[in-house]
Amino acid sequence: MNWRLVMAETLKLRKSRGLVIATILMTLGIGVLVILIPELYRVAHPSASFAGGQRGLQRIGIAVGFIGSIAAMLVGTAAGTGDLSTGIFRDMVATGKSRAALFGSRVPGALVYWLPLITFSYLVAALLDLAFSSHSAIGPPARSLGSPAGAVSFFNGTVPPMHQFVDWYLWILLYTGFVLLVSIGLSSWIGSRAITLGVLIPFQLFVAPILSNISQLGAVREILYPQSIGYLAPRAGPGAGAGHSFGVLVTSSLGIAWLVLVVWVILAIGAGLWRTLTRDA
Amino acid sequence: MTPGGLVIETHGLSKRFKERLAVDGVDLAVPAGCCFGFLGPNGAGKTTLIRMLLGMTRATAGTIRLRGHEMPSDKTAALSRVGAIVEEPRFVPYLTGRENLRVVASARETVAHDRIDPALARVGLSERADQKVKTYSLGMRQRLGVARCLLADPELLILDEPTNGLDPAGIHEFRQLVRNLVGEGRTVFLSSHLLDEVEKTCDYVAVIDGGRVVQQGAIGAIGAGEQASIPVRIGCDRPSEALALVSSLRHELGVIGLEAVVDGLELELRVPMGDGTGGIEAALATINAALVGAGHGLFRLEVLRQSLEDRFLAVTSRLGDGA
């Protein structure tokens, strides 16, 4: 891997002011908001539950994962189509550098931009969650949960155990990292950032949830990656693993969930690489 | 590549876009160390050919050798010391000039980074190097494009319409830069539809029309046939007597057209090609000696050379007539 080429990709991303502002708002901003708003409410209503704690952490995880995945699409499509849209792809090709190397630098280049951003955002939100948790002894559940076997008990406002912080962090990395890779691949294939976003965002927000509710589709619905992502989310409440936070879940097993994600990445990256190799510069 | 050899060599190079043959069996031979003009009207296939040379698009048929390396199979070696501006130079607008060069240098050998500052200085952009490219004028972008070419320490520069949009001062400056680069032993392949630009800058030229190279060679030879027909204007007193005198030398001089005008004579000489200017100079010396010897007052003896534009139009219109 050509590290200089990777850093050049990162440079193009981190110097794009609009992209930087949007992605910070959609990661750090959203992570802070989902804690601060309930906390402000609690200031006005002292009897309200704590903003932080396990419930707060779940809110952070879902919000940063979900909105962060949209931010990851912005980054991925910028990395996938930046050279084409600015017109410097031809100049990069004219250096004699292999097109595979040019494409290959987009993935680590985008990750070098993305990983510190999403990590920092989650870290700040997690610290706020800690700060606004109840530090008293674990109390009774806020309501009767009837948690399924293996699921984490879900207490209102109590400090979450460390493994929950780690679980949510890993899931956010998985969710946003996956979307980042798919976005790079698809946008490199399609060659247009706007069209790629116009396909991916509605797919994730509307099309996949609608399709997953059409029972007649049966097992075919397992190929919808939001289903796999939802399946892999940390269990954090009643009905977890059966659609508590992510609508109807149809993914049948852990293996299927991972397989679907891997296949999506391979297909998207493969298509992007193929188009980069064959495209007229 | 062998010094003094061919830096670009194509044989039967063709490119077809569905039904349209954009480049049609082009054989091109560009000698090293010269400025080579690639001349043709808009849509003639110039940019398509350049894109094939640089591996940006695949040829439908034919072969390309760049700096002695096969393209595209050996493109890394072939392009390692080639700098190119294709159509207008493009940059990442929100990056500075220096950062844009860093981006391209990252795709070249490590030493390319060390060439960034000298390249910026050479094109006069050191002062503005840390400003965003979106604030640059077109002329500055053209110069930054040349700086980007210099990162390769190029043996060959391929410049496609490099003076588009430049003001006269910018064009002059650019021309000087090109001549300096040639003076350093580099080869400049200059594609243009601007005849004046090519005539003033280039040593050799190829004319492309309808996807085919219709002529190539030394710039003075373009448009000339086996024998050049060169008009000459003679200013002298007593034109009618001078007419009779020169008329008597018709056969010896190769005069094919002769008439008296108000202040002298206009004649047309047929001069064999291949002997440089010796033929026309000898003829003029003979006329001069004859007229002066006969006591004529001679105040003008001028070869009315055809401009490249005349010759270009002749070449391309001949193609059209013959088609």
Side-chain angles (χ1 to χ4, degrees):
Chain A
M1 185 168 59
N2 182 335
W3 190 244
R4 289 183 300 124
L5 212 49
V6 170
M7 293 317 291
E9 283 298 326
T10 308
L11 175 73
K12 285 181 271 184
L13 295 173
R14 69 181 172 80
K15 287 283 184 169
S16 172
R17 189 180 297 167
L19 181 71
V20 169
I21 292 171
T23 51
I24 286 176
L25 287 176
M26 295 169 80
T27 51
L28 181 61
I30 204 72
V32 170
L33 270 184
V34 296
I35 287 294
L36 281 188
I37 290 173
E39 183 59 23
L40 289 174
Y41 181 79
R42 187 169 176 275
V43 169
H45 304 85
S47 62
S49 57
F50 285 92
Q54 296 183 30
R55 181 177 287 173
L57 183 62
Q58 187 196 36
R59 261 200 309 265
I60 291 169
I62 292 171
V64 174
F66 187 71
I67 305 297
S69 73
I70 306 295
M73 284 181 197
L74 298 182
V75 175
T77 52
T81 61
D83 286 356
L84 281 173
S85 62
T86 57
I88 67 163
F89 180 63
R90 63 175 53 171
D91 297 292
M92 300 301 277
V93 169
T95 63
K97 197 76 186 174
S98 80
R99 290 172 180 235
L102 294 177
F103 176 81
S105 67
R106 292 174 189 167
V107 172
L111 286 173
V112 167
Y113 173 85
W114 181 252
L115 293 181
L117 174 64
I118 195 69
T119 300
F120 179 72
S121 301
Y122 178 73
L123 192 63
V124 169
L127 287 173
L128 286 175
D129 183 78
L130 268 181
F132 298 133
S133 295
S134 164
H135 292 272
S136 57
I138 291 175
R143 51 197 164 98
S144 178
L145 299 177
S147 301
V152 175
S153 294
F154 183 29
F155 295 109
N156 184 13
T158 53
V159 176
M162 178 56 72
H163 76 85
Q164 279 192 26
F165 283 107
V166 175
D167 286 349
W168 279 110
Y169 174 61
L170 293 177
W171 181 75
I172 289 170
L173 280 190
L174 171 72
Y175 191 177
T176 59
F178 166 81
V179 170
L180 183 78
L181 296 181
V182 169
S183 303
I184 292 171
L186 288 183
S187 61
S188 297
W189 177 50
I190 294 170
S192 160
R193 189 179 186 209
I195 292 175
T196 309
L197 289 174
V199 169
L200 271 181
I201 292 176
F203 175 78
Q204 185 166 311
L205 295 186
F206 310 115
V207 178
I210 290 170
L211 291 178
S212 65
N213 277 291
I214 301 176
S215 58
Q216 286 83 353
L217 289 173
V220 172
R221 293 176 293 172
E222 296 204 40
I223 64 172
L224 302 170
Y225 74 75
Q227 291 294 315
S228 303
I229 294 285
Y231 186 89
L232 294 169
R235 306 296 199 266
H244 174 68
S245 304
F246 299 94
V248 178
L249 285 177
V250 295
T251 303
S252 57
S253 72
L254 188 67
I256 290 288
W258 280 107
L259 180 66
V260 166
L261 297 185
V262 169
V263 168
W264 268 88
V265 168
I266 289 174
L267 289 178
I269 293 291
L273 175 61
W274 170 78
R275 195 70 189 101
T276 305
L277 293 177
T278 56
R279 172 190 303 285
D280 275 359
Chain B
M1 188 195 65
T2 310
L6 297 176
V7 72
I8 299 174
E9 201 176 352
T10 72
H11 293 289
L13 194 61
S14 298
K15 177 70 179 180
R16 178 179 288 281
F17 295 106
K18 294 183 179 168
E19 297 304 309
R20 191 172 70 86
L21 195 57
V23 175
D24 183 8
V26 167
D27 296 331
L28 203 59
V30 178
C34 71
C35 183
F36 190 97
F38 192 48
L39 196 55
N42 291 332
K46 300 189 296 295
T47 299
T48 303
L49 188 136
I50 284 174
R51 286 155 58 90
M52 285 190 284
L53 291 180
L54 294 168
M56 293 175 179
T57 186
R58 287 180 180 276
T60 308
T63 61
I64 302 171
R65 285 182 74 82
L66 217 59
R67 300 174 54 242
H69 302 279
E70 293 287 340
M71 280 290 291
S73 59
D74 197 11
K75 71 173 180 183
T76 302
L79 296 173
S80 63
R81 294 195 58 197
V82 175
I85 299 176
V86 183
E87 297 175 311
E88 63 177 302
R90 301 281 187 87
F91 299 96
V92 183
Y94 54 82
L95 295 184
T96 67
R98 191 189 307 280
E99 286 167 341
N100 266 286
L101 296 193
R102 273 175 56 195
V103 167
V104 175
S106 68
R108 292 197 178 274
E109 54 187 346
T110 311
V111 72
H113 280 273
D114 301 333
R115 297 185 186 127
I116 291 175
D117 284 337
L120 286 165
R122 174 138 198 198
V123 299
L125 281 178
S126 297
E127 301 270 318
R128 299 283 303 270
D130 294 314
Q131 293 178 10
K132 290 181 178 176
V133 165
K134 65 184 173 189
T135 67
Y136 284 18
S137 67
L138 180 58
M140 290 169 68
R141 287 177 196 223
Q142 293 282 16
R143 283 191 277 155
L144 189 61
V146 175
R148 184 164 59 190
C149 292
L150 295 176
L151 297 180
D153 185 21
E155 283 179 8
L156 168 65
L157 288 100
I158 297 178
L159 307 176
D160 184 17
E161 309 278 4
T163 56
N164 270 3
L166 294 186
D167 59 22
I171 291 172
H172 178 74
E173 197 177 312
F174 196 88
R175 201 178 293 143
Q176 283 298 117
L177 181 62
V178 167
R179 290 312 310 179
N180 290 343
L181 291 168
V182 173
E184 293 166 7
R186 308 180 199 271
T187 308
V188 176
F189 184 85
L190 181 71
S191 161
S192 181
H193 65 276
L194 301 175
L195 301 150
D196 184 55
E197 175 185 327
V198 169
E199 188 165 32
K200 287 178 175 161
T201 315
C202 298
D203 311 300
Y204 293 87
V205 67
V207 180
I208 185 169
D209 193 23
R212 287 188 290 162
V213 169
V214 291
Q215 283 217 344
Q216 64 180 306
I219 198 155
I222 294 304
E226 283 299 309
Q227 288 197 309
S229 171
I230 300 178
V232 175
R233 171 69 61 87
I234 299 170
C236 62
D237 56 12
R238 295 178 283 137
S240 53
E241 291 175 35
L243 179 66
L245 180 59
V246 174
S247 197
S248 68
L249 300 170
R250 255 178 192 270
H251 184 69
E252 182 184 343
L253 298 176
V255 174
I256 56 172
L258 180 61
E259 65 173 313
V261 291
V262 175
D263 59 349
L265 305 177
E266 268 186 6
L267 56 94
E268 198 166 337
L269 301 175
R270 187 176 293 280
V271 181
M273 287 300 293
D275 61 352
T277 55
I280 184 70
E281 284 172 358
L284 293 178
T286 303
I287 292 169
N288 184 36
L291 291 173
V292 172
H296 287 275
L298 197 62
F299 52 85
R300 184 181 185 192
L301 196 56
E302 181 188 6
V303 175
L304 302 175
R305 292 196 184 278
Q306 281 185 297
S307 68
L308 183 59
E309 182 175 350
D310 296 331
R311 287 176 276 152
F312 172 78
L313 290 174
V315 168
T316 50
S317 64
R318 264 210 303 274
L319 182 75
D321 293 340

